[in-house]
Amino acid sequence: MRVLGIETSCDETAAAVVESGWRVASSVVESSLEIHRDYGGVVPELAGRAHLTTIGPVVRRALEGAGLDPHDPAIDAVAVTSGPGLIGSLLVGLSAAKAYALAWERPLVAVNHLEGHLFAPLLETPALRFPLLTLLASGGHTMLVLQRAPGEHQVLGETIDDAAGEAYDKIARWLGLGYPGGPPIDRLAREGDAGALRLPASMPGPGLDFSFSGLKTAVVRQVGARPDLGVADVAASFQAAVVEQLIRKLAGALERHEVAGLALAGGVAANGQLRGAVVALAADRGLEAHLPSREMCTDNAAMIAAAGLAHAARGDYAPLDLSADPGWSLEAVR
Amino acid sequence: MRILAIETSTSACAAALEVDGVVTVEVVEGERRHTETLAPAIASLLDRAGQRPRDLERVVVDRGPGLFTGLRVGLATAQALADATGAALVGVSSLELLAEGARDAGATGTLLALVDARRGEVFVQGYDLATTTPLDEPRVARPEEVARRVRSLASCTLAGDGARRYRDLLADLPGARLLDLAVPPVAAALAIGRDREPGAVAPLYLREADAVVNFATRERS
Ligand SMILES: [Zn+2]
């Protein structure tokens, strides 16, 4: 089986071809990040415009990269992210995907973007052992997910306010480090003193939900009283508090659920300190750690095609009148 | 020739298919559900005409101006259909569709084609209906400016959902005549697009910096 995947939920325009056995035949990603940098975040209307310009060439490159005829590709289905995400961005990929499916007379598969992220580790470790505990953290989402098999997932906890990546962006903007905030804070944190600020532990209870909005407030208040602090010390203290919370909840989930491995997914999975902490936690508990490459952490269409492959294998297709669902939750995915 | 036309610049969603001179049209009016309705409408047109998508030779699409999301649904669909089948892609404007439609309806003289741009503005372009040639560039304007222009003309015809929305302001002006033509007619896209040179089609937003302006305002507040 072979599936073309299309992803346009945020600022990445992506297309990929994935085959049975979780083999990536091609994966193309174009980002409109540069357009949004000056605004400190993704501007929906500009993202929609960029997707429209980019989607055709990106799909063409993905087909050619997989050695497929662009007018009659040997694929079994067209899979597309239909939510969650920015409505104006989702509509471009969804409209294009429907047109490709219609033109080539192939079925359409609706993929939840978050479920797509859960399939990313499989593409780099096809022999992944289950059950798997995945920490999915990005600019839009932060959640802990237990997977018993590919496509069988249970959300154990999620953020009650900001996403982890969103907290990075807010602190980085406040520190004047630009957008996105993850890379500069991760870099600066290596030179700073993580104990410079005494930040309270967020969500100290036994529950598995996360919270990041109080952290920013605490950082701003404490730095106001400490004008002597350098940016690196603030970055290090903030990052230590974020990673501490993520690892504490991961460890909490491990106490309740028996798993074979830990996986990271989402853009925050590129964070160096978080990766190190997850490897250490996995080693301590005798578990496998699956740290995706940067390409597989961030939004891409290979993960959408992979999830689409799983749905197509079950004959789970979508009609041509499919709507985009900007708030589609992972719990609602069958 | 087998031509498909797509029109999604207003709240309506329309597609038309011409196969060897026989035209069929699907219009879903006033719902703003372009994402849901466009692809099934196209599939239904092809199906009823006994055509396969790969048989399409040309795809004509309304590139605006109009509702941004509707335009993107139409353009993303048209682009992908053309890419996937190898059909030629051709762009037409919503305002020239109104002009073509007005001429078909028997209007003569000067036409002001008006597409509702929301936020108290319209997209407007003037046409000489004797030849259906534009008198100026399409632009975004306030209805009061359009009214001044109507007053400066001896007589003119007004068409489009922008004319309908601001009829109280425009229709009773001396020499003005409001045509019962709100939606750019998709069949006109077949007529115009048939002979036009194909190529890449870019949307005609006419309000390029709008989102950026809004974002800056939101950031300050
Ligand atoms: Zn994502």
Side-chain angles (χ1 to χ4, degrees):
Chain A
M1 204 169 213
R2 190 182 289 123
V3 171
L4 169 69
I6 293 177
E7 152 67 37
T8 62
S9 67
C10 191
D11 60 338
E12 272 95 12
T13 314
V17 176
V18 169
E19 299 168 350
S20 298
W22 313 115
R23 201 185 83 79
V24 182
S26 67
S27 180
V28 179
V29 181
E30 287 286 339
S31 174
S32 64
L33 178 66
E34 287 306 321
I35 301 173
H36 308 287
R37 220 184 267 283
D38 292 346
Y39 306 101
V42 175
V43 183
E45 173 62 20
L46 294 183
R49 292 183 180 201
H51 283 306
L52 182 62
T53 310
T54 318
I55 184 76
V58 163
V59 169
R60 173 62 69 104
R61 279 162 57 199
L63 293 171
E64 286 172 354
L68 297 170
D69 176 356
H71 295 148
D72 188 17
I75 56 168
D76 297 283
V78 178
V80 62
T81 304
S82 59
L86 300 170
I87 183 73
S89 290
L90 289 167
L91 290 183
V92 176
L94 183 55
S95 300
K98 286 182 183 184
Y100 288 116
L102 197 163
W104 297 323
E105 300 173 310
R106 299 293 195 281
L108 183 71
V109 179
V111 174
N112 177 291
H113 178 83
L114 302 171
E115 187 182 26
H117 272 299
L118 298 179
F119 276 80
L122 271 172
L123 296 171
E124 293 181 320
T125 313
L128 205 60
R129 290 202 299 137
F130 290 86
L132 186 67
L133 179 65
T134 302
L135 170 64
L136 167 51
S138 68
H141 307 276
T142 301
M143 51 177 65
L144 268 176
V145 185
L146 178 66
Q147 286 174 276
R148 294 194 173 80
E152 269 184 54
H153 46 252
Q154 180 191 349
V155 178
L156 302 178
E158 58 191 314
T159 183
I160 58 166
D161 42 54
D162 292 351
E166 195 177 355
Y168 269 93
D169 290 340
K170 284 182 176 176
I171 287 287
R173 189 196 300 185
W174 182 71
L175 290 172
L177 299 175
Y179 169 85
I185 289 181
D186 195 18
R187 197 166 51 242
L188 278 167
R190 275 175 227 145
E191 302 150 19
D193 171 13
L197 296 178
R198 301 225 163 273
L199 298 168
S202 302
M203 305 295 274
L208 296 178
D209 284 341
F210 302 89
S211 168
F212 296 96
S213 73
L215 202 51
K216 191 209 158 181
T217 316
V219 168
V220 171
R221 194 186 310 117
Q222 292 194 25
V223 171
R226 296 277 309 275
D228 58 303
L229 278 184
V231 174
D233 292 337
V234 179
S237 301
F238 166 76
Q239 174 149 300
V242 172
V243 172
E244 184 277 327
Q245 185 185 173
L246 293 173
I247 295 296
R248 173 158 45 85
K249 297 299 177 185
L250 260 175
L254 287 178
E255 277 167 28
R256 282 169 240 186
H257 302 277
E258 189 118 348
V259 298
L262 295 179
L264 281 178
V268 179
N271 184 278
Q273 195 175 334
L274 177 62
R275 291 170 84 93
V278 167
V279 169
L281 176 65
D284 183 57
R285 307 296 160 92
L287 301 171
E288 294 173 358
H290 304 285
L291 306 182
S293 64
R294 174 173 288 275
E295 294 73 49
M296 277 301 159
C297 297
T298 48
D299 289 353
N300 64 83
M303 67 188 200
I304 302 304
L309 198 80
H311 285 272
R314 302 203 299 264
D316 178 17
Y317 299 121
L320 276 185
D321 67 354
L322 174 70
S323 299
D325 184 352
W328 192 8
S329 73
L330 185 57
E331 285 95 331
V333 177
R334 288 175 295 111
Chain B
M1 184 117 135
R2 287 175 288 264
I3 316 176
L4 176 76
I6 293 171
E7 197 292 302
T8 55
S9 65
T10 66
S11 56
C13 174
L17 180 67
E18 178 179 327
V19 179
D20 303 329
V22 180
V23 174
T24 47
V25 175
E26 282 260 347
V27 182
V28 181
E29 261 188 90
E31 294 194 28
R32 288 187 76 172
R33 286 170 57 83
H34 305 101
T35 318
E36 291 82 357
T37 49
L38 182 58
I42 295 168
S44 156
L45 284 174
L46 288 166
D47 201 42
R48 279 186 283 149
Q51 299 292 313
R52 296 184 69 182
R54 65 183 56 179
D55 300 329
L56 286 174
E57 291 162 272
R58 181 166 282 239
V59 178
V60 184
V61 62
D62 179 357
R63 65 190 194 98
L67 294 174
F68 293 165
T69 51
L71 283 183
R72 281 197 284 270
V73 168
L75 276 161
T77 303
Q79 259 175 205
L81 276 176
D83 278 352
T85 60
L89 182 65
V90 176
V92 296
S93 93
S94 55
L95 300 164
E96 70 177 324
L97 293 182
L98 287 170
E100 183 78 12
R103 208 187 55 152
D104 284 349
T108 54
T110 299
L111 174 85
L112 293 185
L114 302 164
V115 168
D116 187 1
R118 316 276 153 145
R119 300 191 202 142
E121 292 180 316
V122 291
F123 299 115
V124 57
Q125 189 171 22
Y127 279 86
D128 173 3
L129 290 178
T131 51
T132 331
T133 46
L135 299 169
D136 52 12
E137 291 296 309
R139 63 190 190 93
V140 63
R142 301 199 316 118
E144 292 77 16
E145 296 171 59
V146 178
R148 273 201 296 280
R149 183 160 168 197
V150 172
R151 281 196 206 94
S152 74
L153 297 163
S155 71
C156 71
T157 303
L158 305 169
D161 63 353
R164 180 170 288 186
R165 176 153 197 167
Y166 298 105
R167 65 191 309 157
D168 291 351
L169 188 70
L170 302 172
D172 296 334
L173 295 173
R177 172 178 169 243
L178 180 64
L179 199 65
D180 185 21
L181 178 65
V183 174
V186 68
L190 293 171
I192 300 173
R194 185 177 296 119
D195 305 314
R196 185 164 290 178
E197 190 65 29
V201 175
L204 203 53
Y205 291 120
L206 295 186
R207 274 210 290 222
E208 194 65 58
D210 211 49
V212 176
V213 171
N214 283 347
F215 187 82
T217 313
R218 198 163 65 234
E219 282 290 276
R220 275 198 301 275
S221 60

